[in-house]
Amino acid sequence: MLLKRFLIIMAIIGVSVGVDQYSKQWAVAQLKGEPRTSYLGDTFRLQFAENTGAFLSMGANQSETIRYWVLKVFPIIMLTGLFFYLLFSKSLDWWQIAAFSFILGGGLSNIYDRLQYGKVVDFMNIGIGNLRSGIFNVADMSIMLGLFILIPIAFRKESKPKPEQPTEA
């Protein structure tokens, strides 16, 4: 059972990291230095950006020391903890394992970029008119997919065993 769980976790992480890293290489080769392009009536944009911060560039203006601890060390500790929790927790069902694996895969891909290059490549943006998302990447989509899988799980009601009915003698 542990081997099956490990293989599922590693498969999801591998796909998440692989697709993200490939898409970032593509973005650097095709989009860097180019003007943004819009699709579907400007609902979807491809626009190259390098992010030295976290989600939506949060922390990008902090000192190098703070960014080192908050954007590199802390995420490594959290992702390591999540990996071992995923691997050994007996309370997780297969949907939760998949969800957390997507979160772990996206997190690992982004932390790899921060450690290797000091920044993360972002290149997608969605929205309507002035209501737009920040610029994001495939790793961010993997993290969000994991969170979306977890939402219904968080709100489902646990089935409680029915109280036993008294039997007539």
Side-chain angles (χ1 to χ4, degrees):
M1 190 69 151
L2 185 61
L3 179 61
K4 179 180 177 182
R5 180 185 283 219
F6 177 77
L7 292 174
I8 289 170
I9 292 167
M10 295 309 292
I12 292 172
I13 290 172
V15 168
S16 296
V17 171
V19 172
D20 180 61
Q21 290 298 309
Y22 176 80
S23 69
K24 288 172 180 171
Q25 290 174 1
W26 175 86
V28 169
Q30 300 297 318
L31 302 175
K32 189 173 185 174
E34 298 294 325
R36 80 170 182 235
T37 53
S38 297
Y39 302 92
L40 302 170
D42 200 36
T43 302
F44 180 75
R45 294 178 182 169
L46 292 175
Q47 176 180 354
F48 185 83
E50 292 177 332
N51 181 357
T52 58
F55 180 70
L56 299 176
S57 296
M58 288 188 292
N61 296 327
Q62 298 298 319
S63 72
E64 186 60 37
T65 302
I66 290 174
R67 285 194 358 235
Y68 173 79
W69 287 99
V70 173
L71 298 178
K72 294 177 181 173
V73 175
F74 181 70
I76 289 170
I77 293 168
M78 295 301 293
L79 292 170
T80 301
L82 179 58
F83 176 74
F84 284 107
Y85 175 69
L86 260 173
L87 200 53
F88 296 112
S89 176
K90 296 188 185 326
S91 66
L92 297 175
D93 63 30
W94 290 108
W95 283 106
Q96 292 167 315
I97 290 169
F100 285 126
S101 296
F102 279 113
I103 292 168
L104 185 57
L108 286 172
S109 196
N110 277 340
I111 196 66
Y112 171 80
D113 290 342
R114 281 195 196 97
L115 293 171
Q116 186 71 21
Y117 310 113
K119 60 189 171 237
V120 174
V121 170
D122 291 328
F123 58 94
M124 294 181 279
N125 176 274
I126 57 173
I128 300 172
N130 291 330
L131 182 61
R132 306 214 59 88
S133 70
I135 301 174
F136 58 93
N137 59 40
V138 173
D140 299 329
M141 291 171 50
S142 181
I143 293 167
M144 293 307 296
L145 174 60
L147 292 173
F148 285 134
I149 292 170
L150 288 174
I151 289 172
I153 294 169
F155 290 104
R156 74 178 173 206
K157 293 180 180 176
E158 294 293 324
S159 58
K160 296 179 183 175
K162 293 181 183 179
E164 291 187 33
Q165 297 294 326
T167 56
E168 292 183 29

